């Protein structure tokens, strides 16, 4: 085999490997492990401006590791709806911020509470919508908080205190309960922010769930405006 052929073979093998195994690097999404390592180093050295951002993070109430989640079985947002989205918003923010504190400090008090919040929701919330009015604001909630929950889950995915069964439950919860709410025909293709947050949600759930179809759909929608097609 000549060098050219060997290179072709190597590239082909890599392509097959990435398509068979998803090929996502974890943790992905907003920050890589190299980002977290850099944050941890700067915060440990109490260097500005990193330490100032960190102090703002831990002085926010959502980063308090005694935060108690208030999971709901059914979530609504919007005028005329039985709007309980405040619980979703607060708990998604709390899970995200506490996961971030853990990734920066290694303090497992924050890790355990982040996992407690994520599990509480993943084992309780069965659906998202609005039963009493024609408001579609719940789709914004599904996009924004779906994106935040997926990011929190991605940060915690290899934490030894989150067992494999519970993590798999979280992945499938995001795919089954959150993902379809942003899926066509619901995605509007009218309001830029509605569609953008749904694209971010799809992409994030794709990485969290190691599902390349969802990820590619998000990229495709962003580039070509072709509607989501994976389900
Ligand atoms: C972890 O965080 C908790 C809550 O803020 C604190 O009480 C504890 O001292 C921290 N542990 C370490 C090892 O820093
Ligand atoms: C709204 O409708 C869904 C789907 O039919 C149902 O599961 C849920 O319990 C209802 N929620 C409320 C608050 O009525
Ligand atoms: C999780 O993954 C990161 C990045 O690869 C690594 O630094 C860390 O040690 C892992 N944590 C556990 C509990 O496996
Ligand atoms: C995994 O975690 C879940 C949620 O905390 C818990 O209900 C379950 O018992 C745990 N399973 C194992 C095998 O530890
Ligand atoms: C990706 O998610 C879609 C939608 O739920 C599903 O139909 C498909 O089987 C998933 N693919 C993989 C590889 O899990």
């Amino acid at each position: 085999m000549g060098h050219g052929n060997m290179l072709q073979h190597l590239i082909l093998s890599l392509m097959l490997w990435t398509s068979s195994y998803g090929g996502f690097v974890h943790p992905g999404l907003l920050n890589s492990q190299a980002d977290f390592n850099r944050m941890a180093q700067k915060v440990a050295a109490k260097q500005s401006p990193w330490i100032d951002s960190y102090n703002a993070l831990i002085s926010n109430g959502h980063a308090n590791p005694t935060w108690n989640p208030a999971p709901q079985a059914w979530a609504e947002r919007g005028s005329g709806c039985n709007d309980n989205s405040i619980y979703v918003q607060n708990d998604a923010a709390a899970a995200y911020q506490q996961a971030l504190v853990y990734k920066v400090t290694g303090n497992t008090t924050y890790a355990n509470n982040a996992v407690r919040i994520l599990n509480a929701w993943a084992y309780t919330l069965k659906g998202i919508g609005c039963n009493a009015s024609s408001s579609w604001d719940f789709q914004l909630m599904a996009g924004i908080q779906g994106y935040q929950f997926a990011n929190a889950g991605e940060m915690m995915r290899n934490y030894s205190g989150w067992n494999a069964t519970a993590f798999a439950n979280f992945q499938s919860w995001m795919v089954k309960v959150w993902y379809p709410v942003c899926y066509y025909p619901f995605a509007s293709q009218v309001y830029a922010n509605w569609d953008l947050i749904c694209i971010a949600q799809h992409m994030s759930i794709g990485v969290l769930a190691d599902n390349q179809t969802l990820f590619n759909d998000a990229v495709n929608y962003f580039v070509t405006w072709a509607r989501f097609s994976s389900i």
Side-chain angles (χ1 to χ4, degrees), residues 205-216:
I205 294 175
V207 173
L208 175 87
D210 278 314
N211 186 318
Q212 198 142 22
T213 309
L214 302 193
F215 184 90
N216 291 350

Side-chain angles (χ1 to χ4, degrees), residues 30 77 136-151 174 178-179 181-183 186-189 191-205 218 221-222 228:
L30 280 176
R77 174 181 161 179
W136 285 94
D137 286 3
F138 64 84
Q139 194 179 84
L140 279 172
M141 173 173 69
I144 299 167
Q145 276 70 49
Y147 167 70
Q148 290 176 330
F149 269 130
N151 268 277
M174 293 247 49
W178 291 86
Y179 165 79
V181 183
C182 270
Y183 172 69
F186 304 116
S188 60
Q189 274 198 329
Y191 305 110
N193 60 324
W194 291 51
D195 283 2
L196 280 174
I197 196 60
C198 278
I199 291 169
Q201 190 248 41
H202 274 230
M203 187 171 266
S204 305
I205 294 175
Y221 190 1
F222 185 73
F228 298 129

Side-chain angles (χ1 to χ4, degrees), residues 74 76 82 131:
W74 174 258
E76 302 201 350
N82 181 20
N131 293 353

Side-chain angles (χ1 to χ4, degrees), residues 100-129:
L100 185 56
V101 175
Y102 164 66
K103 291 298 282 183
V104 172
T105 63
N107 187 323
T108 54
T109 303
Y110 294 87
N112 291 336
N113 207 47
V115 165
R116 185 167 78 103
I117 298 166
L118 296 175
N119 279 339
W121 278 89
Y123 283 111
T124 308
L125 182 72
K126 307 290 182 229
I128 295 166

Side-chain angles (χ1 to χ4, degrees), residues 60-63 67-70 84-98 117 121 145 148-149:
N60 183 282
H62 294 95
W67 179 279
N68 280 314
N84 57 355
S85 60
I86 190 70
Y87 299 112
V88 184
Q89 291 169 15
N90 277 328
D91 286 353
Y96 178 77
Q97 289 183 211
Q98 291 175 38
I117 298 166
W121 278 89
Q145 276 70 49
Q148 290 176 330
F149 269 130

